[in-house]
Amino acid sequence: KAGVTQTPRYLIKTRGQQVTLSCSPISGHRSVSWYQQTPGQGLQFLFEYFSETQRNKGNFPGRFSGRQFSNSRSEMNVSTLELGDSALYLCASMKGGARSGEQYFGPGTRLTVT
Amino acid sequence: DQQVKQNSPSLSVQEGRISILNCDYTNSMFDYFLWYKKYPAEGPTFLISISSIKDKNEDGRFTVFLNKSAKHLSLHIVPSQPGDSAVYFCAASARYKDGNKLVFGAGTILRVKS
């Protein structure tokens, strides 16, 4: 079974630009969550999508948004990029409705904002 | 407000000895706890979990202990192997009205010396 895939793997953008990251979950997984990882901060939860609906959201500004398509693929968008948005962005998929919280992560997209 | 804390940024252990990674949490609503392992350039991978109704869960060389009264959990790796060198994240989950959200600690870098 193919794992979670994320594209692109690396991205360099300048301040003020916007960026879209993509995530394809494991086949059959309907829940996709997004996390931001920065040194010393661990993984910060951005949001979770399930069946094309955002059902949970972290404490990030409105510049961070996402969506999920009918095939469960998800995209995350960051508008008006700031230097502090430089991070590893991870997406994780789960069967959905699973109480355990056991998520399967993709390799991440390394975003650098200059 | 860090609800999940891993107070040791790094740990160095000799091959064959025991590695003990610690995690503290503040939210008494957390009822499911997980450990993830992360290698460079890869996403975190699920390692082991424990429900709050248990105080110990074992899987091969990995054992997780939960002390609910102290709001503390630990991961024991015995014996430690060089391939265990990675970043270990502790995560906690609470039952929310909708969806599932994991709160992660900042991670502990484990180095196993041969």
Side-chain angles (χ1 to χ4, degrees):
Chain A
K1 194 186 244 188
V4 177
T5 57
Q6 291 186 246
T7 57
R9 292 292 310 275
Y10 302 92
L11 205 48
I12 300 175
K13 290 284 190 178
T14 26
R15 269 187 308 177
Q17 288 186 311
Q18 68 95 26
V19 68
T20 299
L21 312 181
S22 180
C23 172
S24 292
I26 291 172
S27 177
H29 286 193
R30 296 165 62 194
S31 166
V32 174
S33 295
W34 287 89
Y35 295 86
Q36 181 195 66
Q37 185 192 359
T38 51
Q41 291 295 315
L43 279 71
Q44 304 290 315
F45 174 75
L46 281 151
F47 28 65
E48 181 201 6
Y49 285 87
F50 179 75
S51 293
E52 302 177 64
T53 301
Q54 186 185 91
R55 68 176 181 180
N56 223 325
K57 191 177 189 307
N59 298 322
F60 277 80
R63 300 186 297 107
F64 292 81
S65 63
R67 59 178 176 167
Q68 187 180 34
F69 302 94
S70 58
N71 63 357
S72 293
R73 190 177 70 85
S74 177
E75 287 182 348
M76 189 191 92
N77 185 275
V78 188
S79 62
T80 322
L81 284 166
E82 300 176 0
L83 295 178
D85 297 333
S86 294
L88 180 67
Y89 290 88
L90 293 157
C91 112
S93 77
M94 191 168 68
K95 276 191 177 176
R99 176 62 187 92
S100 69
E102 185 179 320
Q103 300 181 350
Y104 296 83
F105 284 84
T109 294
R110 172 73 61 185
L111 172 65
T112 302
V113 182
T114 62
Chain B
D1 173 29
Q2 273 194 299
Q3 298 184 62
V4 177
K5 294 181 184 178
Q6 293 177 257
N7 291 319
S8 298
S10 64
L11 176 68
S12 189
V13 170
Q14 198 66 35
E15 181 180 7
R17 307 294 290 266
I18 184 171
S19 294
I20 300 176
L21 295 99
N22 294 302
C23 179
D24 297 295
Y25 61 96
T26 57
N27 188 341
S28 56
M29 296 296 291
F30 289 143
D31 62 353
Y32 198 84
F33 304 88
L34 308 91
W35 285 93
Y36 283 82
K37 180 168 76 172
K38 185 181 186 299
Y39 292 118
E42 295 182 14
T45 54
F46 170 75
L47 197 54
I48 192 169
S49 63
I50 187 167
S51 164
S52 60
I53 62 173
K54 295 185 175 181
D55 55 18
K56 177 182 173 182
N57 188 26
E58 194 171 350
D59 184 1
R61 297 185 297 114
F62 302 90
T63 302
V64 57
F65 295 91
L66 175 63
N67 182 334
K68 281 201 307 180
S69 60
K71 293 192 176 69
H72 176 83
L73 67 155
S74 60
L75 174 68
H76 292 209
I77 305 173
V78 184
S80 301
Q81 299 173 354
D84 295 330
S85 297
V87 180
Y88 288 79
F89 290 100
C90 165
S93 172
R95 187 179 296 276
Y96 291 96
K97 185 174 67 173
D98 307 302
N100 181 78
K101 183 165 70 174
L102 285 184
V103 180
F104 283 83
T108 296
I109 300 170
L110 174 65
R111 294 187 186 90
V112 180
K113 300 175 288 186
S114 56

